[in-house]
PDB file of all heavy atoms in Angstrom:
ATOM      1  N   CYS A 233     -24.121  85.711 116.569  1.00 98.00           N
ATOM      2  CA  CYS A 233     -23.905  84.736 117.634  1.00 98.00           C
ATOM      3  C   CYS A 233     -24.878  83.594 117.387  1.00 98.00           C
ATOM      4  O   CYS A 233     -26.092  83.795 117.414  1.00 98.00           O
ATOM      5  CB  CYS A 233     -24.165  85.373 119.002  1.00 98.00           C
ATOM      6  SG  CYS A 233     -24.033  84.167 120.330  1.00 98.00           S
ATOM      7  N   LEU A 234     -24.342  82.430 117.080  1.00 98.00           N
ATOM      8  CA  LEU A 234     -25.168  81.263 116.740  1.00 98.00           C
ATOM      9  C   LEU A 234     -25.299  80.334 117.953  1.00 98.00           C
ATOM     10  O   LEU A 234     -24.324  79.691 118.345  1.00 98.00           O
ATOM     11  CB  LEU A 234     -24.520  80.512 115.568  1.00 98.00           C
ATOM     12  CG  LEU A 234     -25.171  79.195 115.136  1.00 98.00           C
ATOM     13  CD1 LEU A 234     -26.588  79.413 114.609  1.00 98.00           C
ATOM     14  CD2 LEU A 234     -24.318  78.525 114.053  1.00 98.00           C
ATOM     15  N   PRO A 235     -26.478  80.284 118.569  1.00 98.00           N
ATOM     16  CA  PRO A 235     -26.628  79.338 119.678  1.00 98.00           C
ATOM     17  C   PRO A 235     -26.696  77.905 119.150  1.00 98.00           C
ATOM     18  O   PRO A 235     -27.392  77.641 118.165  1.00 98.00           O
ATOM     19  CB  PRO A 235     -27.969  79.733 120.323  1.00 98.00           C
ATOM     20  CG  PRO A 235     -28.317  81.074 119.759  1.00 98.00           C
ATOM     21  CD  PRO A 235     -27.696  81.094 118.380  1.00 98.00           C
ATOM     22  N   VAL A 236     -25.957  77.021 119.774  1.00 98.00           N
ATOM     23  CA  VAL A 236     -26.082  75.577 119.488  1.00 98.00           C
ATOM     24  C   VAL A 236     -26.517  75.000 120.829  1.00 98.00           C
ATOM     25  O   VAL A 236     -25.720  74.506 121.623  1.00 98.00           O
ATOM     26  CB  VAL A 236     -24.751  74.981 119.000  1.00 98.00           C
ATOM     27  CG1 VAL A 236     -24.921  73.498 118.663  1.00 98.00           C
ATOM     28  CG2 VAL A 236     -24.258  75.736 117.761  1.00 98.00           C
ATOM     29  N   ASP A 237     -27.819  75.169 121.101  1.00 98.00           N
ATOM     30  CA  ASP A 237     -28.289  75.048 122.489  1.00 98.00           C
ATOM     31  C   ASP A 237     -29.591  74.262 122.626  1.00 98.00           C
ATOM     32  O   ASP A 237     -30.282  74.394 123.642  1.00 98.00           O
ATOM     33  CB  ASP A 237     -28.459  76.440 123.098  1.00 98.00           C
ATOM     34  CG  ASP A 237     -29.622  77.209 122.485  1.00 98.00           C
ATOM     35  OD1 ASP A 237     -30.136  76.792 121.419  1.00 98.00           O
ATOM     36  OD2 ASP A 237     -30.040  78.224 123.066  1.00 98.00           O
ATOM     37  N   SER A 238     -29.929  73.466 121.612  1.00 98.00           N
ATOM     38  CA  SER A 238     -31.148  72.658 121.678  1.00 98.00           C
ATOM     39  C   SER A 238     -32.361  73.483 122.123  1.00 98.00           C
ATOM     40  O   SER A 238     -33.227  72.987 122.849  1.00 98.00           O
ATOM     41  CB  SER A 238     -30.943  71.450 122.609  1.00 98.00           C
ATOM     42  OG  SER A 238     -29.857  70.676 122.165  1.00 98.00           O
ATOM     43  N   GLY A 239     -32.391  74.738 121.706  1.00 97.00           N
ATOM     44  CA  GLY A 239     -33.581  75.569 121.927  1.00 97.00           C
ATOM     45  C   GLY A 239     -33.649  76.280 123.266  1.00 97.00           C
ATOM     46  O   GLY A 239     -34.632  76.978 123.549  1.00 97.00           O
ATOM     47  N   LEU A 240     -32.602  76.156 124.092  1.00 97.00           N
ATOM     48  CA  LEU A 240     -32.669  76.741 125.439  1.00 97.00           C
ATOM     49  C   LEU A 240     -32.964  78.238 125.422  1.00 97.00           C
ATOM     50  O   LEU A 240     -33.790  78.730 126.195  1.00 97.00           O
ATOM     51  CB  LEU A 240     -31.364  76.475 126.198  1.00 97.00           C
ATOM     52  CG  LEU A 240     -31.352  76.949 127.650  1.00 97.00           C
ATOM     53  CD1 LEU A 240     -32.346  76.153 128.494  1.00 97.00           C
ATOM     54  CD2 LEU A 240     -29.960  76.834 128.257  1.00 97.00           C
ATOM     55  N   THR A 241     -32.281  78.966 124.524  1.00 97.00           N
ATOM     56  CA  THR A 241     -32.483  80.421 124.507  1.00 97.00           C
ATOM     57  C   THR A 241     -33.765  80.821 123.762  1.00 97.00           C
ATOM     58  O   THR A 241     -34.139  82.000 123.765  1.00 97.00           O
ATOM     59  CB  THR A 241     -31.270  81.152 123.888  1.00 97.00           C
ATOM     60  OG1 THR A 241     -30.969  80.547 122.627  1.00 97.00           O
ATOM     61  CG2 THR A 241     -30.054  81.065 124.783  1.00 97.00           C
ATOM     62  N   ALA A 242     -34.439  79.836 123.127  1.00 97.00           N
ATOM     63  CA  ALA A 242     -35.739  80.144 122.497  1.00 97.00           C
ATOM     64  C   ALA A 242     -36.819  80.259 123.570  1.00 97.00           C
ATOM     65  O   ALA A 242     -37.815  80.958 123.401  1.00 97.00           O
ATOM     66  CB  ALA A 242     -36.108  79.059 121.493  1.00 97.00           C
ATOM     67  N   GLY A 243     -36.607  79.564 124.688  1.00 95.00           N
ATOM     68  CA  GLY A 243     -37.582  79.616 125.779  1.00 95.00           C
ATOM     69  C   GLY A 243     -37.772  78.249 126.396  1.00 95.00           C
ATOM     70  O   GLY A 243     -37.279  77.243 125.888  1.00 95.00           O
ATOM     71  N   THR A 244     -38.499  78.220 127.514  1.00 90.00           N
ATOM     72  CA  THR A 244     -38.829  76.941 128.142  1.00 90.00           C
ATOM     73  C   THR A 244     -40.347  76.801 128.132  1.00 90.00           C
ATOM     74  O   THR A 244     -41.067  77.775 127.913  1.00 90.00           O
ATOM     75  CB  THR A 244     -38.294  76.857 129.590  1.00 90.00           C
ATOM     76  OG1 THR A 244     -38.913  77.910 130.336  1.00 90.00           O
ATOM     77  CG2 THR A 244     -36.801  77.005 129.643  1.00 90.00           C
TER      78      THR A 244
END
Side-chain angles (χ1 to χ4, degrees):
C233 176
L234 175 64
V236 182
D237 69 346
S238 303
L240 184 66
T241 51
T244 61

